[in-house]
């Protein structure tokens, strides 16, 4: 899923930011692929770069939704900095989502947030673990990342969506 009107990294500009529309498109893709929601809260999960979060939370659409749809007072996410939930999507922000400089514009950077449902990925921590790799008959590919007794594995790629958007540092 691309931010704004972008159709590739090459034609992405600084206005192609993460938005509520981008989140809704990604959710529609997961729903159409029958991706189950993550329990116990029955939500999809979206993990985004800090600058993607900045763009989303700076938008008037986000601020209006949080102001009108959340509790009034000091616990409102507008005042707590909480990311919260939008349209059944739990939102998380991290600096661990890679940010890449655009090859076509030195002023633009982009990131690929990820949204997923249940059984999209597995996380394992164990002292002595082994993982057998195989490819399903339908050709789905599996990937694994190993670091200090930790492993992240894509279990079902149809339950995972990338949201590639502009991610410009607002302080630059």
């Amino acid at each position: 899923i691309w931010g704004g009107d972008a159709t590739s990294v090459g034609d992405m500009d600084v206005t192609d930011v993460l938005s509520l529309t981008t989140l809704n498109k990604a959710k529609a893709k997961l729903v159409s692929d029958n991706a189950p929601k993550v329990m116990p809260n029955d939500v999809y999960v979206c993990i985004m770069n800090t600058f993607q979060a900045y763009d989303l939370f700076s938008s008037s659409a986000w601020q209006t939704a949080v102001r009108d749809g959340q509790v009034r007072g000091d616990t409102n996410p507008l005042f707590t900095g909480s990311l919260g939930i939008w349209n059944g999507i739990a939102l998380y922000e991290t600096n661990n989502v890679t940010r890449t400089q655009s090859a076509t514009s030195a002023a633009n950077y982009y990131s690929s947030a990820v949204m997923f449902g249940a059984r999209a990925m597995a996380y394992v921590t164990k002292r002595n673990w082994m993982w057998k790799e195989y490819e399903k008959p339908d050709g789905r590919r599996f990937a694994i990342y190993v670091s200090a007794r930790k492993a992240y594995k894509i279990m079902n790629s149809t339950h995972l969506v990338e949201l590639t958007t502009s991610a410009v540092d607002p302080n630059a």
Side-chain angles (χ1 to χ4, degrees):
I1 306 289
W2 299 97
D5 62 358
T7 57
S8 71
V9 169
D11 74 345
M12 185 172 296
D13 61 45
V14 296
T15 65
D16 296 320
V17 298
L18 185 65
S19 66
L20 297 178
T21 300
T22 312
L23 292 172
N24 292 339
K25 284 181 187 178
K27 180 184 175 184
K29 174 79 170 116
L30 290 175
V31 170
S32 70
D33 287 340
N34 295 315
K37 293 181 180 178
V38 176
M39 300 303 278
N41 297 328
D42 201 31
V43 295
Y44 294 111
V45 175
C46 182
I47 301 172
M48 67 190 78
N49 178 279
T50 298
F51 299 127
Q52 289 176 304
Y54 174 84
D55 289 330
L56 178 65
F57 303 139
S58 295
S59 74
S60 60
W62 173 262
Q63 292 178 10
T64 299
V66 172
R67 181 190 69 224
D68 295 345
Q70 293 284 342
V71 297
R72 301 281 179 183
D74 293 342
T75 60
N76 185 295
L78 281 176
F79 306 114
T80 65
S82 170
L83 302 184
I85 294 178
W86 165 258
N87 192 19
I89 307 161
L91 305 172
Y92 295 92
E93 169 186 359
T94 179
N95 279 329
N96 292 325
V97 174
T98 303
R99 185 171 159 257
T100 306
Q101 188 171 19
S102 170
T104 58
S105 169
N108 195 22
Y109 288 77
Y110 63 91
S111 286
S112 291
V114 63
M115 186 184 298
F116 55 91
R119 297 191 299 265
M121 291 188 286
Y123 172 69
V124 177
T125 58
K126 188 175 177 184
R127 183 165 284 243
N128 297 311
W129 57 270
M130 182 188 304
W131 211 313
K132 290 186 178 181
E133 293 291 314
Y134 66 95
E135 186 171 314
K136 287 192 164 196
D138 65 3
R140 279 192 230 153
R141 117 189 120 115
F142 293 92
I144 189 168
Y145 172 77
V146 180
S147 173
R149 298 187 199 128
K150 295 179 184 174
Y152 301 87
K153 180 173 178 63
I154 296 174
M155 303 295 290
N156 188 335
S157 59
T158 63
H159 296 173
L160 185 128
V161 177
E162 276 187 85
L163 298 87
T164 304
T165 68
S166 178
V168 175
D169 181 347
N171 302 307

